[in-house]
Amino acid sequence: MKLIRYGEINKEKTGVVLDDQYYDTSAFGEDYNEAFFENDGLSRLKAFVEANKVSLQPIPTGSRLGSPVARPSKILCIGLNYADHAKETGAAIPPEPILFMKSTTALAGPFDDIVIPKNSVKTDWEVELAVVISKKASYVDEADAHEYIAGYALHNDVSEREFQLERGGTWDKGKGCDTFAPIGPFLATPDEIADVNNLRVWLNVNGQKMQDGTTSNLIFNVPYLISYLSQFMTLLPGDIISTGTPAGVGLGFKPPIYLKAGDVVELGIDGLGTSKQTVKAYAKG
């Protein structure tokens, strides 16, 4: 099953993707949020779709897509989780996952604009596989991690490198700006993905290939990450874990390349669709 949310920002309605067509599921009566996942929403939604398949209405042409998951309690991200990315940034291979958090107010739709923050000169791109948690997770064994996965989605972990690396403290300042977490176009349940450990991930800027990797090169794979993170904090239904990016980010070029107003970023992951964001300059109001 593939889940979507569509409509105006903060007024999104729910839907599903059937045979590559987008259909409204507003009559189901629930948003795709923490309560939905916590209360076996995926199974109930599946039953609703099966029972109402012939009467589901296509979403209006030209509708904006939002994040397929409503604002979660946490967006957890893993840094330097591909060896080639660590190398391009001059960092050592981490012995344990590097964790940072992305503000939930950074959440955006897959085709929304990326807004360069005020005073930013080093806004960068990162294509990533995102994992959505299905139920409360604490001290999870790696062998049981699959039981806690609601699904997967495409994520652009947009980053401001000066804020992240040159302004002191943690990475979070360069990761949580508004529009810095475009997710989607849809959330795919695990049965939709043949092998999450062998998915091509790619990203283009203005039509030029910048990133082209595979999740087979993850240093720490999805089950390990779920288990690891659950040792330090409780993961709640709907929480998002973004698993890291392969080589090819702007920071890694010599000299570095950063996004500017008018640039177009396109990205995709096998089985998880594609997204596209146009870069805009910050404007007050």
Side-chain angles (χ1 to χ4, degrees), residues 67 69-77 99-108 155-159 170-183 239-240 242:
S67 164
V69 178
R71 186 182 298 175
S73 82
K74 297 183 286 297
I75 302 175
L76 304 169
C77 300
L99 171 65
F100 61 90
M101 301 184 80
K102 206 168 180 78
S103 171
T104 58
T105 52
L107 199 68
H155 175 216
N156 187 357
D157 174 22
V158 186
S159 310
T170 66
W171 288 5
D172 303 55
K173 286 183 289 189
K175 296 287 190 171
C177 304
D178 291 353
T179 74
F180 270 26
I183 293 181
D239 279 359
I240 295 169
S242 199

Side-chain angles (χ1 to χ4, degrees), residues 75-78 81-82 126-132 149 151-157 182-184 186-188 193 195-202 211 214-216 218 220-223 225 240-246 267-273:
I75 302 175
L76 304 169
C77 300
I78 307 302
N81 200 23
Y82 287 77
E126 295 189 9
V127 58
E128 305 201 1
L129 169 70
V131 183
V132 178
I149 299 173
Y152 305 100
L154 172 64
H155 175 216
N156 187 357
D157 174 22
I183 293 181
F186 51 77
L187 170 71
I193 304 299
D195 183 4
V196 74
N197 297 310
N198 190 27
L199 302 177
R200 180 176 173 239
V201 298
W202 59 269
Q211 294 184 272
T214 169
T215 57
S216 65
L218 283 168
F220 305 107
N221 65 19
V222 170
L225 291 174
I240 295 169
I241 301 171
S242 199
T243 59
T245 198
L267 55 152
I269 298 179
D270 288 349
L272 296 176

Side-chain angles (χ1 to χ4, degrees), residues 197-258:
N197 297 310
N198 190 27
L199 302 177
R200 180 176 173 239
V201 298
W202 59 269
L203 181 145
N204 297 343
V205 178
N206 299 328
Q208 181 178 349
K209 184 63 58 65
M210 296 297 191
Q211 294 184 272
D212 196 355
T214 169
T215 57
S216 65
N217 289 332
L218 283 168
I219 297 169
F220 305 107
N221 65 19
V222 170
Y224 183 91
L225 291 174
I226 292 171
S227 174
Y228 182 86
L229 294 173
S230 75
Q231 309 304 309
F232 301 100
M233 66 191 76
T234 296
L235 307 177
L236 294 178
D239 279 359
I240 295 169
I241 301 171
S242 199
T243 59
T245 198
V249 301
L251 175 66
F253 287 87
K254 307 214 181 317
I257 302 170
Y258 295 115

Side-chain angles (χ1 to χ4, degrees), residues 134-158:
S134 62
K135 60 183 179 179
K136 187 175 180 180
S138 180
Y139 300 110
V140 173
D141 289 334
E142 187 175 348
D144 299 327
H146 66 281
E147 299 175 8
Y148 296 83
I149 299 173
Y152 305 100
L154 172 64
H155 175 216
N156 187 357
D157 174 22
V158 186

